[in-house]
Amino acid sequence: MNSNPQKFEDLSPPGDSPGGEQLTVDQAIANLQSADLGLRFYAAWWLGRFRICEPAAVTLLIQALEDEDDRTPEGGYPLRRNAARALGKIGDRHAVKPLIACLNCSDFYVREAAAQSLDMLGDPVCIPPLMELLKAGLQQGRLKPQQPDLSQPYDAIIEALGSLQATESISAIEPFLEHPIELVQYAAARAMYQLTQEPVYGERLIKALAGEKLQLRRAVLADLGAIGYLPAAEAIAETLAENSLKLISLKGLLEHQVKGTATTTLSAGAIKVMNLMDSLL
């Protein structure tokens, strides 16, 4: 499972197109209309990768959210996934309603990509449908008894609700702190901190930095950077993970410190984070 807009994975390698040519915007738009599914798939990825905010591209990507041609034997929709991811990166709010419709797609990964992109677009109109998906994992206010419940991309949904400041979702998110999948637990802690500002949730993420699995430590670094939890600064710098990821996480903390400063003078917290970043370079 992979959620969080900072954890997006591009589904096509960078560089040349399948035909061996570097794309231009016009070529990418043309390729989205091609009968060649490989060209369409790559074009959707390319437009998102380079955040091409061109009306014609956005229109075609929105149309690709309903594509029926590019389908795996298992019933997945690879082009829809790339289109959904691209629309979030491009940032055009014309995509909000079509992405909300994707939350009902039969493909788990399309729903995940749609939730991540709705998070990035930041329109509160998507809060009710996201909450409906989240409640699919609850029964009488508690987690459903099946262990683990993999029916929905809960981590992506929860992170979106946290980013959107959906305080009405607190009671629905809280049970997921005990979900058997760690990434879902961390998403819940991240969102609960964003919605309540209670340090207990930030401290829970700090504790997770000492976990055994590198993949999970990487995810927590992204979560702490996203919420800007300053008390985590030293723990982030000392985490057993790549310095590049620790720097990205600390950058998130620094950005929160700068946003919270009314004057041009750096806060003590900002200076502390900058010194830690210098030590990692």
Side-chain angles (χ1 to χ4, degrees):
M1 276 180 134
N2 178 45
S3 70
N4 181 336
Q6 296 183 38
K7 306 171 198 171
F8 262 175
E9 292 180 356
D10 292 321
L11 295 183
S12 185
D16 292 341
S17 69
E21 299 177 355
Q22 290 286 347
L23 288 184
T24 65
V25 174
D26 288 342
Q27 287 171 334
I29 290 172
N31 287 353
L32 267 182
Q33 303 171 80
S34 170
D36 186 322
L37 293 177
L39 291 178
R40 295 177 69 194
F41 179 88
Y42 185 88
W45 171 84
W46 189 90
L47 290 165
R49 169 67 177 80
F50 294 103
R51 290 168 167 78
I52 306 299
C53 192
E54 175 70 33
V58 172
T59 297
L60 289 169
L61 287 168
I62 289 173
Q63 291 174 4
L65 295 177
E66 299 181 354
D67 173 75
E68 290 287 349
D69 296 327
D70 192 10
R71 192 168 187 181
T72 68
E74 296 78 22
Y77 293 97
L79 177 57
R80 293 191 194 188
R81 298 172 191 173
N82 264 10
R85 289 182 171 89
L87 288 164
K89 293 175 181 178
I90 290 170
D92 190 317
R93 287 202 175 190
H94 286 98
V96 170
K97 289 186 178 179
L99 286 168
I100 289 173
C102 286
L103 295 176
N104 294 318
C105 182
S106 59
D107 184 340
F108 175 98
Y109 296 104
V110 171
R111 298 197 302 275
E112 179 182 57
Q116 291 169 329
S117 286
L118 288 167
D119 183 342
M120 298 179 80
L121 292 170
D123 192 324
V125 72
C126 68
I127 291 174
L130 286 169
M131 287 185 62
E132 284 302 310
L133 278 191
L134 187 63
K135 290 176 181 178
L138 300 176
Q139 184 175 317
Q140 295 181 339
R142 298 181 180 181
L143 292 180
K144 285 186 176 179
Q146 60 261 38
Q147 299 290 328
D149 178 6
L150 302 176
S151 63
Q152 298 292 348
Y154 292 118
D155 48 346
I157 295 165
I158 290 168
E159 288 176 1
L161 290 168
S163 297
L164 289 161
Q165 287 297 300
T167 53
E168 63 268 42
S169 67
I170 289 174
S171 62
I173 292 173
E174 190 171 14
F176 287 88
L177 290 165
E178 306 305 323
H179 195 277
I181 294 177
E182 289 97 332
L183 284 177
V184 179
Q185 294 177 27
Y186 303 158
R190 163 180 166 162
M192 289 295 289
Y193 179 80
Q194 289 172 313
L195 297 174
T196 69
Q197 295 297 298
E198 291 290 340
V200 63
Y201 303 113
E203 294 302 314
R204 180 165 178 161
L205 289 172
I206 290 177
K207 185 177 180 181
L209 286 176
E212 295 181 0
K213 297 179 181 179
L214 175 59
Q215 179 184 4
L216 295 179
R217 296 198 299 273
R218 290 169 174 165
V220 177
L221 286 172
D223 290 332
L224 286 165
I227 66 175
Y229 189 59
L230 182 61
E234 291 182 356
I236 289 170
E238 295 171 0
T239 300
L240 296 176
E242 300 89 337
N243 279 3
S244 59
L245 297 181
K246 293 190 283 189
L247 284 166
I248 291 171
S249 182
L250 289 169
K251 179 175 178 285
L253 269 62
L254 181 59
E255 289 172 347
H256 277 75
Q257 286 297 302
V258 172
K259 287 179 183 177
T261 303
T263 67
T264 56
T265 304
L266 289 174
S267 67
I271 294 171
K272 175 182 178 180
V273 173
M274 291 174 68
N275 288 334
L276 288 170
M277 294 176 74
D278 283 342
S279 72
L280 295 172
L281 294 174

